[in-house]
Amino acid sequence: MLLTGDIAAFLLFGFIGLASHEESVTASIVARSLLPFPITWMMIAPNVGALDPRARIPGVLGVWLVAGVIALVARSVLFDRELFNAFFAISLAGNGFFLAIWRLVYGRWLAPARATG
């Protein structure tokens, strides 16, 4: 559930971005603008504990920063896109914000109850 929510947060941010730019949703645009972030997250997060339900948001966001930069570099190389532009900062901050909000919701209302005692 945690990984599904993380991916949904990235995709939601991406689709909001596409809608704000009035771009049609094509396979090329999805591949170039949305997919690098969840793919990179799925490759990195499980290996460094970011998918542990006990992971704290600052640590998760630290992992996101690394994964996000790797995603942006991969996007730049694979799709011949400029690396350092407004998309760089907006995608790092926006995806991080949506990820943090999702993790807050998960931790507050959806996480399995922790055993006490």
Side-chain angles (χ1 to χ4, degrees):
M1 177 186 217
L2 193 56
L3 178 59
T4 301
D6 289 354
I7 293 168
F10 296 136
L11 294 178
L12 178 61
F13 175 74
F15 280 115
I16 289 171
L18 289 178
S20 72
H21 294 290
E22 298 181 33
E23 294 207 30
S24 61
V25 179
T26 65
S28 174
I29 289 173
V30 168
R32 179 182 79 223
S33 301
L34 276 67
L35 293 184
F37 303 105
I39 289 171
T40 305
W41 183 251
M42 288 187 298
M43 293 171 57
I44 294 173
N47 297 307
V48 295
L51 295 182
D52 185 329
R54 298 168 296 182
R56 301 231 182 254
I57 291 175
V60 170
L61 290 177
V63 174
W64 162 246
L65 185 61
V66 172
V69 169
I70 291 170
L72 286 160
V73 169
R75 176 184 181 272
S76 175
V77 170
L78 293 172
F79 299 105
D80 194 29
R81 307 302 284 186
E82 184 179 343
L83 178 58
F84 296 110
N85 55 21
F87 184 80
F88 187 94
I90 291 167
S91 62
L92 279 180
N95 278 307
F97 177 76
F98 275 58
L99 179 62
I101 294 300
W102 155 243
R103 289 300 186 101
L104 283 170
V105 168
Y106 177 83
R108 177 85 177 185
W109 293 291
L110 302 174
R114 293 179 184 22
T116 59

Coordinates of all heavy atoms in Angstrom, one line a residue, residues 23-105:
E23 N -1.4 20.2 -22.0 CA -0.8 19.2 -22.9 C -1.7 18.0 -23.0 O -2.3 17.6 -22.1 CB 0.6 18.8 -22.4 CG 1.6 19.9 -22.4 CD 3.0 19.5 -22.5 OE1 3.2 18.4 -23.2 OE2 3.9 20.1 -22.0
S24 N -1.7 17.5 -24.2 CA -2.4 16.3 -24.4 C -1.6 15.1 -23.8 O -0.4 15.2 -23.7 CB -2.7 16.0 -25.9 OG -1.4 15.9 -26.5
V25 N -2.3 14.1 -23.4 CA -1.6 13.0 -22.7 C -1.3 12.0 -23.8 O -2.2 11.2 -24.2 CB -2.4 12.4 -21.5 CG1 -1.7 11.3 -20.9 CG2 -2.7 13.5 -20.5
T26 N -0.1 11.9 -24.2 CA 0.4 10.9 -25.1 C 1.4 10.0 -24.4 O 1.9 10.3 -23.4 CB 1.1 11.5 -26.4 OG1 2.3 12.2 -25.9 CG2 0.1 12.6 -27.0
A27 N 1.6 8.9 -25.0 CA 2.6 7.9 -24.5 C 4.0 8.6 -24.3 O 4.7 8.4 -23.3 CB 2.7 6.7 -25.3
S28 N 4.4 9.4 -25.3 CA 5.7 10.0 -25.3 C 5.7 11.0 -24.1 O 6.8 11.1 -23.4 CB 5.9 10.8 -26.6 OG 7.0 11.5 -26.6
I29 N 4.7 11.8 -23.9 CA 4.7 12.8 -22.9 C 4.7 12.1 -21.5 O 5.4 12.5 -20.6 CB 3.5 13.8 -23.0 CG1 3.8 14.7 -24.2 CG2 3.3 14.6 -21.8 CD1 2.7 15.6 -24.6
V30 N 3.9 11.1 -21.3 CA 3.9 10.3 -20.1 C 5.3 9.7 -19.8 O 5.8 9.9 -18.7 CB 2.8 9.3 -20.1 CG1 3.0 8.3 -18.9 CG2 1.4 9.9 -20.1
A31 N 5.9 9.1 -20.8 CA 7.2 8.5 -20.6 C 8.2 9.6 -20.3 O 9.1 9.4 -19.4 CB 7.6 7.8 -21.9
R32 N 8.2 10.7 -20.9 CA 9.2 11.8 -20.7 C 9.0 12.6 -19.4 O 9.9 12.9 -18.7 CB 9.1 12.7 -21.9 CG 10.1 13.9 -21.8 CD 10.0 14.8 -23.0 NE 8.8 15.7 -22.8 CZ 8.0 15.9 -23.8 NH1 8.1 15.4 -25.0 NH2 6.9 16.8 -23.6
S33 N 7.7 12.8 -19.1 CA 7.4 13.8 -18.0 C 7.0 13.1 -16.6 O 7.2 13.7 -15.6 CB 6.3 14.7 -18.4 OG 6.7 15.4 -19.5
L34 N 6.5 11.9 -16.7 CA 5.9 11.3 -15.5 C 6.7 10.0 -15.0 O 7.0 9.9 -13.9 CB 4.5 10.9 -15.7 CG 3.4 11.9 -15.5 CD1 3.5 13.0 -16.5 CD2 2.1 11.3 -15.5
L35 N 7.0 9.2 -16.0 CA 7.5 7.8 -15.6 C 8.9 7.8 -15.0 O 9.2 7.0 -14.1 CB 7.5 6.9 -16.8 CG 6.1 6.5 -17.2 CD1 6.1 5.5 -18.4 CD2 5.3 6.0 -16.1
P36 N 9.8 8.7 -15.3 CA 11.2 8.7 -14.7 C 11.1 8.7 -13.2 O 11.9 8.1 -12.5 CB 11.9 9.9 -15.2 CG 11.2 10.1 -16.6 CD 9.8 9.8 -16.3
F37 N 10.1 9.4 -12.6 CA 10.1 9.6 -11.1 C 9.7 8.3 -10.4 O 10.4 7.9 -9.5 CB 9.3 10.8 -10.8 CG 9.8 12.0 -11.5 CD1 9.1 12.6 -12.6 CD2 11.0 12.6 -11.1 CE1 9.6 13.7 -13.2 CE2 11.5 13.7 -11.7 CZ 10.8 14.3 -12.8
P38 N 8.5 7.7 -10.7 CA 8.2 6.5 -10.0 C 9.1 5.3 -10.3 O 9.4 4.5 -9.4 CB 6.8 6.2 -10.5 CG 6.5 7.0 -11.7 CD 7.4 8.2 -11.6
I39 N 9.7 5.3 -11.5 CA 10.6 4.2 -11.9 C 11.8 4.3 -11.0 O 12.3 3.3 -10.4 CB 10.9 4.2 -13.4 CG1 9.7 3.7 -14.2 CG2 12.1 3.3 -13.7 CD1 9.8 3.9 -15.7
T40 N 12.4 5.5 -11.0 CA 13.6 5.6 -10.2 C 13.3 5.4 -8.7 O 14.1 4.8 -8.0 CB 14.2 7.1 -10.4 OG1 14.4 7.3 -11.8 CG2 15.5 7.2 -9.7
W41 N 12.2 5.9 -8.2 CA 11.8 5.6 -6.8 C 11.7 4.2 -6.5 O 12.2 3.7 -5.5 CB 10.5 6.3 -6.5 CG 10.0 6.2 -5.1 CD1 9.0 5.5 -4.6 CD2 10.6 6.9 -4.0 NE1 8.9 5.7 -3.3 CE2 9.9 6.5 -2.8 CE3 11.7 7.8 -3.8 CZ2 10.2 7.0 -1.6 CZ3 12.0 8.2 -2.5 CH2 11.2 7.8 -1.4
M42 N 11.1 3.4 -7.4 CA 10.9 1.9 -7.2 C 12.3 1.2 -7.2 O 12.4 0.2 -6.6 CB 10.0 1.3 -8.3 CG 8.6 1.7 -8.1 SD 7.4 0.8 -9.2 CE 8.0 1.4 -10.8
M43 N 13.3 1.8 -7.9 CA 14.6 1.2 -7.9 C 15.4 1.5 -6.7 O 16.2 0.7 -6.2 CB 15.3 1.6 -9.2 CG 14.7 1.1 -10.5 SD 15.4 1.9 -12.0 CE 17.2 1.5 -11.8
I44 N 15.2 2.7 -6.1 CA 16.1 3.1 -5.0 C 15.4 3.0 -3.7 O 16.0 2.4 -2.7 CB 16.5 4.6 -5.2 CG1 17.4 4.7 -6.5 CG2 17.2 5.2 -4.0 CD1 17.7 6.1 -6.9
A45 N 14.2 3.4 -3.5 CA 13.5 3.4 -2.2 C 13.6 2.1 -1.4 O 13.9 2.1 -0.2 CB 12.1 3.9 -2.3
P46 N 13.3 1.0 -2.1 CA 13.3 -0.3 -1.3 C 14.7 -0.7 -0.8 O 14.8 -1.4 0.2 CB 12.8 -1.4 -2.3 CG 12.2 -0.6 -3.4 CD 12.8 0.7 -3.4
N47 N 15.7 -0.3 -1.5 CA 17.0 -0.6 -1.1 C 17.6 0.2 0.0 O 18.7 -0.2 0.5 CB 17.9 -0.6 -2.3 CG 17.5 -1.6 -3.4 OD1 17.4 -2.7 -3.1 ND2 17.3 -1.1 -4.6
V48 N 17.0 1.3 0.4 CA 17.5 2.1 1.4 C 16.6 2.4 2.6 O 16.7 3.2 3.4 CB 18.0 3.5 0.9 CG1 19.2 3.3 -0.1 CG2 16.9 4.2 0.2
G49 N 15.5 1.6 2.6 CA 14.6 1.6 3.8 C 13.5 2.7 3.7 O 12.7 2.9 4.6
A50 N 13.4 3.3 2.5 CA 12.3 4.4 2.4 C 10.9 3.8 2.3 O 10.0 4.6 2.4 CB 12.6 5.3 1.2
L51 N 10.8 2.5 2.1 CA 9.5 1.9 2.0 C 9.1 1.3 3.4 O 8.0 0.6 3.4 CB 9.4 0.9 0.9 CG 9.5 1.5 -0.5 CD1 9.3 0.5 -1.6 CD2 8.5 2.7 -0.7
D52 N 9.9 1.4 4.3 CA 9.6 0.9 5.7 C 8.5 1.8 6.2 O 8.7 3.0 6.3 CB 10.8 0.9 6.5 CG 10.6 0.3 7.9 OD1 9.5 0.4 8.4 OD2 11.6 -0.2 8.5
P53 N 7.4 1.3 6.7 CA 6.3 2.1 7.2 C 6.8 3.0 8.4 O 6.2 4.0 8.7 CB 5.3 1.1 7.7 CG 5.5 -0.1 6.9 CD 7.0 -0.2 6.6
R54 N 7.9 2.6 9.0 CA 8.4 3.4 10.2 C 9.3 4.5 9.7 O 9.8 5.3 10.5 CB 9.1 2.5 11.1 CG 8.2 1.4 11.7 CD 9.0 0.4 12.5 NE 9.8 -0.3 11.4 CZ 10.6 -1.3 11.7 NH1 10.7 -1.8 12.9 NH2 11.3 -1.8 10.7
A55 N 9.6 4.6 8.4 CA 10.5 5.6 7.9 C 9.9 7.0 8.2 O 8.8 7.2 7.9 CB 10.8 5.4 6.4
R56 N 10.8 7.9 8.6 CA 10.3 9.2 8.9 C 10.4 10.1 7.7 O 11.2 9.9 6.8 CB 11.2 9.8 10.0 CG 11.2 9.1 11.3 CD 10.9 10.0 12.4 NE 10.9 9.3 13.7 CZ 9.8 9.1 14.4 NH1 8.6 9.4 13.9 NH2 9.9 8.5 15.5
I57 N 9.5 11.1 7.6 CA 9.4 11.9 6.4 C 10.7 12.6 6.0 O 11.0 12.6 4.8 CB 8.2 12.9 6.5 CG1 6.9 12.1 6.5 CG2 8.2 13.9 5.4 CD1 5.7 12.9 6.7
P58 N 11.4 13.2 7.0 CA 12.7 13.8 6.5 C 13.6 12.8 5.8 O 14.3 13.2 4.8 CB 13.3 14.3 7.8 CG 12.1 14.6 8.7 CD 11.2 13.4 8.4
G59 N 13.7 11.6 6.3 CA 14.6 10.6 5.7 C 14.0 10.2 4.3 O 14.8 10.0 3.3
V60 N 12.7 10.0 4.2 CA 12.1 9.7 2.9 C 12.4 10.8 1.9 O 12.7 10.5 0.8 CB 10.6 9.5 3.1 CG1 9.9 9.4 1.8 CG2 10.3 8.2 4.0
L61 N 12.3 12.1 2.4 CA 12.5 13.2 1.4 C 14.0 13.3 1.0 O 14.3 13.7 -0.1 CB 12.0 14.5 2.1 CG 10.5 14.6 2.2 CD1 10.1 15.9 2.9 CD2 9.8 14.5 0.8
G62 N 14.9 12.8 1.9 CA 16.3 12.8 1.5 C 16.5 11.8 0.4 O 17.2 12.0 -0.5
V63 N 15.9 10.6 0.6 CA 15.9 9.6 -0.5 C 15.3 10.1 -1.7 O 15.8 9.9 -2.8 CB 15.3 8.3 0.0 CG1 15.2 7.2 -1.1 CG2 16.0 7.7 1.2
W64 N 14.2 10.8 -1.6 CA 13.5 11.4 -2.8 C 14.4 12.3 -3.5 O 14.5 12.3 -4.7 CB 12.2 12.1 -2.4 CG 11.8 13.0 -3.5 CD1 11.7 14.4 -3.5 CD2 11.5 12.6 -4.9 NE1 11.4 14.8 -4.8 CE2 11.3 13.8 -5.6 CE3 11.5 11.4 -5.5 CZ2 11.0 13.7 -7.0 CZ3 11.2 11.4 -6.9 CH2 10.9 12.5 -7.6
L65 N 15.2 13.2 -2.8 CA 16.0 14.1 -3.4 C 17.1 13.4 -4.3 O 17.3 13.8 -5.5 CB 16.7 15.0 -2.4 CG 17.6 16.1 -2.9 CD1 16.8 17.1 -3.7 CD2 18.3 16.8 -1.7
V66 N 17.6 12.3 -3.8 CA 18.6 11.6 -4.6 C 17.9 10.9 -5.8 O 18.4 11.0 -6.9 CB 19.3 10.5 -3.7 CG1 20.2 9.6 -4.6 CG2 20.1 11.2 -2.6
A67 N 16.8 10.2 -5.5 CA 16.1 9.5 -6.6 C 15.6 10.5 -7.6 O 15.6 10.3 -8.8 CB 14.9 8.8 -6.0
G68 N 15.1 11.7 -7.2 CA 14.6 12.7 -8.1 C 15.7 13.3 -9.0 O 15.4 13.4 -10.2
V69 N 16.8 13.5 -8.5 CA 17.9 14.0 -9.3 C 18.3 13.0 -10.3 O 18.6 13.3 -11.5 CB 19.1 14.5 -8.4 CG1 20.3 14.8 -9.2 CG2 18.7 15.7 -7.6
I70 N 18.4 11.7 -9.9 CA 18.8 10.6 -10.8 C 17.7 10.5 -11.9 O 18.0 10.4 -13.1 CB 18.9 9.3 -10.0 CG1 20.2 9.3 -9.2 CG2 19.0 8.1 -11.0 CD1 20.3 8.2 -8.2
A71 N 16.4 10.6 -11.5 CA 15.4 10.6 -12.5 C 15.5 11.7 -13.5 O 15.3 11.6 -14.7 CB 14.0 10.7 -11.8
L72 N 15.8 12.9 -13.0 CA 16.0 14.1 -13.9 C 17.2 13.9 -14.9 O 17.1 14.3 -16.0 CB 16.1 15.4 -13.1 CG 14.7 15.8 -12.5 CD1 14.9 16.8 -11.4 CD2 13.8 16.4 -13.6
V73 N 18.3 13.4 -14.3 CA 19.4 13.2 -15.2 C 19.1 12.1 -16.2 O 19.4 12.3 -17.4 CB 20.7 12.7 -14.3 CG1 21.8 12.2 -15.2 CG2 21.1 13.9 -13.5
A74 N 18.5 11.0 -15.8 CA 18.1 10.0 -16.8 C 17.1 10.6 -17.9 O 17.3 10.3 -19.1 CB 17.4 8.8 -16.1
R75 N 16.2 11.4 -17.4 CA 15.2 12.0 -18.4 C 16.0 12.9 -19.4 O 15.7 12.9 -20.6 CB 14.2 12.9 -17.6 CG 13.3 13.7 -18.4 CD 12.4 14.5 -17.4 NE 11.5 15.3 -18.2 CZ 11.7 16.5 -18.7 NH1 12.9 17.1 -18.6 NH2 10.8 17.1 -19.4
S76 N 17.0 13.6 -18.9 CA 17.7 14.5 -19.7 C 18.5 13.7 -20.8 O 18.5 14.1 -21.9 CB 18.7 15.3 -18.9 OG 19.6 16.1 -19.7
V77 N 19.1 12.6 -20.3 CA 19.9 11.8 -21.2 C 19.0 11.0 -22.2 O 19.3 11.0 -23.4 CB 20.8 10.8 -20.4 CG1 21.5 9.8 -21.4 CG2 21.9 11.6 -19.6
L78 N 18.0 10.3 -21.7 CA 17.2 9.5 -22.6 C 16.3 10.2 -23.5 O 16.1 9.8 -24.6 CB 16.3 8.6 -21.7 CG 17.0 7.5 -20.8 CD1 16.0 6.9 -19.9 CD2 17.7 6.5 -21.7
F79 N 15.8 11.4 -23.1 CA 14.9 12.1 -24.0 C 15.5 13.4 -24.5 O 14.7 14.3 -25.0 CB 13.6 12.4 -23.2 CG 12.9 11.1 -22.8 CD1 13.0 10.7 -21.4 CD2 12.2 10.4 -23.7 CE1 12.3 9.5 -21.1 CE2 11.6 9.2 -23.3 CZ 11.7 8.8 -22.0
D80 N 16.8 13.6 -24.4 CA 17.4 14.8 -24.9 C 16.8 16.1 -24.4 O 16.4 16.9 -25.2 CB 17.5 14.7 -26.4 CG 18.5 15.8 -27.0 OD1 19.5 16.1 -26.3 OD2 18.3 16.2 -28.1
R81 N 16.5 16.2 -23.1 CA 15.9 17.3 -22.5 C 16.9 18.1 -21.7 O 17.9 17.6 -21.2 CB 14.8 16.9 -21.6 CG 13.7 16.0 -22.2 CD 13.1 16.6 -23.4 NE 12.1 17.6 -23.0 CZ 11.3 18.2 -23.8 NH1 11.3 17.8 -25.1 NH2 10.4 19.0 -23.4
E82 N 16.8 19.4 -21.6 CA 17.6 20.3 -20.8 C 17.5 19.8 -19.4 O 16.5 19.5 -18.9 CB 17.2 21.7 -21.0 CG 18.1 22.7 -20.3 CD 17.7 24.1 -20.5 OE1 16.9 24.4 -21.4 OE2 18.1 25.0 -19.7
L83 N 18.7 19.8 -18.7 CA 18.7 19.3 -17.3 C 18.3 20.4 -16.3 O 17.3 20.2 -15.6 CB 20.0 18.7 -16.9 CG 20.2 18.2 -15.5 CD1 19.2 17.1 -15.2 CD2 21.6 17.7 -15.3
F84 N 19.0 21.5 -16.3 CA 18.7 22.5 -15.3 C 17.8 23.6 -15.9 O 18.2 24.4 -16.7 CB 20.1 23.1 -14.9 CG 20.9 22.2 -14.1 CD1 22.1 21.7 -14.7 CD2 20.5 21.7 -12.9 CE1 22.9 20.8 -14.0 CE2 21.3 20.7 -12.2 CZ 22.5 20.3 -12.8
N85 N 16.6 23.5 -15.5 CA 15.6 24.5 -16.0 C 14.5 24.5 -14.9 O 14.6 23.9 -13.8 CB 15.0 24.1 -17.3 CG 14.4 22.7 -17.4 OD1 14.1 22.1 -16.3 ND2 14.3 22.1 -18.5
A86 N 13.4 25.2 -15.1 CA 12.3 25.3 -14.1 C 11.7 23.9 -13.8 O 11.4 23.7 -12.7 CB 11.2 26.2 -14.6
F87 N 11.7 23.0 -14.8 CA 11.1 21.7 -14.6 C 11.9 21.0 -13.5 O 11.4 20.2 -12.7 CB 11.1 20.9 -15.9 CG 10.5 19.5 -15.7 CD1 9.1 19.4 -15.8 CD2 11.3 18.4 -15.6 CE1 8.5 18.1 -15.6 CE2 10.7 17.2 -15.5 CZ 9.3 17.0 -15.5
F88 N 13.3 21.2 -13.5 CA 14.1 20.5 -12.5 C 13.7 20.9 -11.1 O 13.4 20.0 -10.3 CB 15.6 21.0 -12.7 CG 16.6 20.3 -11.9 CD1 17.2 19.1 -12.4 CD2 16.9 20.7 -10.6 CE1 18.2 18.5 -11.6 CE2 17.8 20.0 -9.8 CZ 18.5 18.9 -10.4
A89 N 13.6 22.1 -10.8 CA 13.2 22.6 -9.4 C 11.8 22.2 -9.1 O 11.5 21.8 -8.0 CB 13.5 24.1 -9.3
I90 N 10.9 22.5 -10.0 CA 9.4 22.3 -9.8 C 9.2 20.8 -9.6 O 8.4 20.4 -8.7 CB 8.6 22.9 -10.9 CG1 8.7 24.4 -10.9 CG2 7.1 22.4 -10.8 CD1 8.1 25.1 -12.1
S91 N 9.8 19.9 -10.4 CA 9.5 18.5 -10.2 C 10.1 17.9 -8.9 O 9.5 17.1 -8.3 CB 10.0 17.7 -11.4 OG 11.4 17.8 -11.6
L92 N 11.3 18.4 -8.5 CA 11.8 17.9 -7.3 C 11.0 18.4 -6.1 O 10.6 17.6 -5.2 CB 13.2 18.5 -7.1 CG 14.4 17.7 -7.8 CD1 15.7 18.4 -7.5 CD2 14.4 16.3 -7.4
A93 N 10.6 19.7 -6.1 CA 9.8 20.2 -5.0 C 8.4 19.7 -5.0 O 7.9 19.3 -3.9 CB 9.8 21.7 -5.0
G94 N 7.8 19.7 -6.1 CA 6.4 19.3 -6.2 C 6.2 17.8 -5.9 O 5.3 17.4 -5.1
N95 N 7.0 16.9 -6.5 CA 6.9 15.5 -6.2 C 7.2 15.2 -4.7 O 6.6 14.4 -4.1 CB 7.8 14.7 -7.1 CG 7.2 14.4 -8.5 OD1 6.1 13.9 -8.6 ND2 8.0 14.8 -9.5
G96 N 8.2 15.9 -4.2 CA 8.5 15.8 -2.8 C 7.4 16.2 -1.9 O 7.1 15.6 -0.9
F97 N 6.7 17.3 -2.3 CA 5.6 17.8 -1.5 C 4.4 16.8 -1.5 O 3.9 16.4 -0.5 CB 5.1 19.1 -2.0 CG 3.9 19.7 -1.3 CD1 4.0 20.2 -0.1 CD2 2.6 19.6 -2.0 CE1 2.9 20.7 0.6 CE2 1.5 20.1 -1.3 CZ 1.6 20.6 -0.1
F98 N 4.1 16.3 -2.7 CA 3.0 15.3 -2.8 C 3.4 14.0 -2.1 O 2.5 13.4 -1.4 CB 2.7 15.0 -4.3 CG 1.7 16.0 -4.9 CD1 2.0 17.3 -4.9 CD2 0.6 15.5 -5.4 CE1 1.1 18.2 -5.4 CE2 -0.3 16.4 -6.0 CZ -0.1 17.8 -6.0
L99 N 4.7 13.6 -2.1 CA 5.1 12.4 -1.4 C 5.0 12.6 0.1 O 4.5 11.7 0.8 CB 6.6 12.1 -1.8 CG 7.2 10.9 -1.1 CD1 6.5 9.6 -1.5 CD2 8.7 10.8 -1.5
A100 N 5.4 13.8 0.6 CA 5.3 14.1 2.0 C 3.9 14.1 2.5 O 3.5 13.5 3.6 CB 6.0 15.4 2.3
I101 N 3.0 14.7 1.7 CA 1.5 14.7 2.1 C 1.0 13.3 2.2 O 0.3 12.9 3.1 CB 0.7 15.6 1.1 CG1 1.2 17.0 1.2 CG2 -0.8 15.4 1.3 CD1 1.0 17.7 2.6
W102 N 1.3 12.5 1.2 CA 0.8 11.1 1.2 C 1.4 10.4 2.4 O 0.6 9.7 3.1 CB 1.3 10.4 -0.1 CG 1.4 8.9 0.1 CD1 2.5 8.2 -0.1 CD2 0.3 8.0 0.4 NE1 2.2 6.8 0.2 CE2 0.9 6.7 0.5 CE3 -1.0 8.1 0.7 CZ2 0.2 5.6 0.8 CZ3 -1.8 7.0 1.0 CH2 -1.2 5.7 1.1
R103 N 2.6 10.5 2.7 CA 3.2 9.9 3.8 C 2.6 10.3 5.1 O 2.4 9.5 6.1 CB 4.7 10.0 3.8 CG 5.5 9.3 2.7 CD 5.2 7.8 2.9 NE 6.0 7.0 1.9 CZ 7.1 6.3 2.2 NH1 7.6 6.3 3.4 NH2 7.7 5.7 1.3
L104 N 2.3 11.6 5.2 CA 1.6 12.1 6.4 C 0.2 11.4 6.6 O -0.2 11.0 7.7 CB 1.4 13.6 6.4 CG 2.6 14.4 6.7 CD1 2.4 15.9 6.4 CD2 3.1 14.3 8.1
V105 N -0.5 11.4 5.5 CA -1.9 10.7 5.5 C -1.7 9.2 5.9 O -2.4 8.7 6.7 CB -2.6 10.9 4.1 CG1 -3.8 10.0 4.0 CG2 -2.9 12.3 3.9

